[in-house]
Amino acid sequence: HILGEHRKAHAESIGKELIKWCEQNLEGVLYVKTPSYFNRVTEYLKQFGFVELGTLEKAWRKNGVLNSMTILSRGLKQCQQQQQ
């Protein structure tokens, strides 16, 4: 989570550093679930190579309302190299 007052200045660099850390320390595929009504989060993740896989309908309850979740994934460098 990046606080609103810091997003514009730091969101891109933080995203790049997170991907870099994941590629150095993890293997396989990263999966992300985000509430579907957070369209800006989905677009932010796509900037870093995440691809939208689908939606889990009514998968998450907030304030008594069932909300859908968007699922995204991104292969890590090691995983992408193994597939080639």
Side-chain angles (χ1 to χ4, degrees), residues 25-44:
N25 294 282
L26 302 173
E27 294 181 8
V29 179
L30 297 175
Y31 291 94
V32 178
K33 292 187 292 184
T34 185
S36 294
Y37 58 80
F38 286 144
N39 294 328
R40 284 192 245 166
V41 174
T42 299
E43 293 307 311
Y44 172 76

Side-chain angles (χ1 to χ4, degrees), residues 10-21:
H10 301 290
E12 185 176 346
S13 62
I14 289 171
K16 286 178 180 178
E17 287 299 314
L18 281 169
I19 294 298
K20 181 180 172 182
W21 184 91

Side-chain angles (χ1 to χ4, degrees), residues 21-81:
W21 184 91
C22 289
E23 287 182 340
Q24 292 172 349
N25 294 282
L26 302 173
E27 294 181 8
V29 179
L30 297 175
Y31 291 94
V32 178
K33 292 187 292 184
T34 185
S36 294
Y37 58 80
F38 286 144
N39 294 328
R40 284 192 245 166
V41 174
T42 299
E43 293 307 311
Y44 172 76
L45 292 166
K46 287 179 179 180
Q47 290 179 49
F48 300 101
F50 282 85
V51 177
E52 204 168 321
L53 297 178
T55 304
L56 295 171
E57 299 294 332
K58 299 180 181 179
W60 177 65
R61 185 180 303 274
K62 181 175 180 181
N63 299 325
V65 177
L66 285 171
N67 296 280
S68 298
M69 300 288 284
T70 300
I71 305 168
L72 301 101
S73 73
R74 180 194 192 283
L76 295 172
K77 195 175 238 179
Q78 300 97 330
C79 180
Q80 292 170 348
Q81 289 172 349

